[in-house]
Amino acid sequence: MSDKKKYQAIVNLKDLQDKGQIYRNGDTFPNTANKKVEDERLEELLSFDNKMTNC
């Protein structure tokens, strides 16, 4: 069993720290299942202090 957490976008966004990856409402983050995301980055995305733009 995988212990990786899955997150779901709740707004449409363009992740400026991930080569402009676009996530639509309902998309799973990260979009690549085997992609390693640091805990600090997850905390940043879960807060309002992040680098993203609405699309």
Side-chain angles (χ1 to χ4, degrees):
M1 182 187 313
S2 174
D3 61 347
K4 285 188 173 186
K5 292 182 180 180
K6 293 183 181 179
Y7 297 88
Q8 190 172 48
I10 58 172
V11 296
N12 296 337
L13 64 99
K14 181 177 183 180
D15 187 351
L16 300 177
Q17 288 189 14
D18 189 14
K19 301 176 186 171
Q21 174 65 46
I22 294 177
Y23 292 92
R24 302 282 182 210
N25 184 1
D27 286 351
T28 301
F29 177 87
N31 69 338
T32 305
N34 62 353
K35 185 175 183 179
K36 172 99 170 96
V37 179
E38 299 295 327
D39 289 339
E40 291 172 1
R41 178 68 174 138
L42 291 172
E43 289 298 321
E44 179 184 11
L45 289 171
L46 291 169
S47 75
F48 290 104
D49 184 28
N50 56 56
K51 291 192 180 229
M52 68 170 194
T53 60
N54 291 334
C55 28

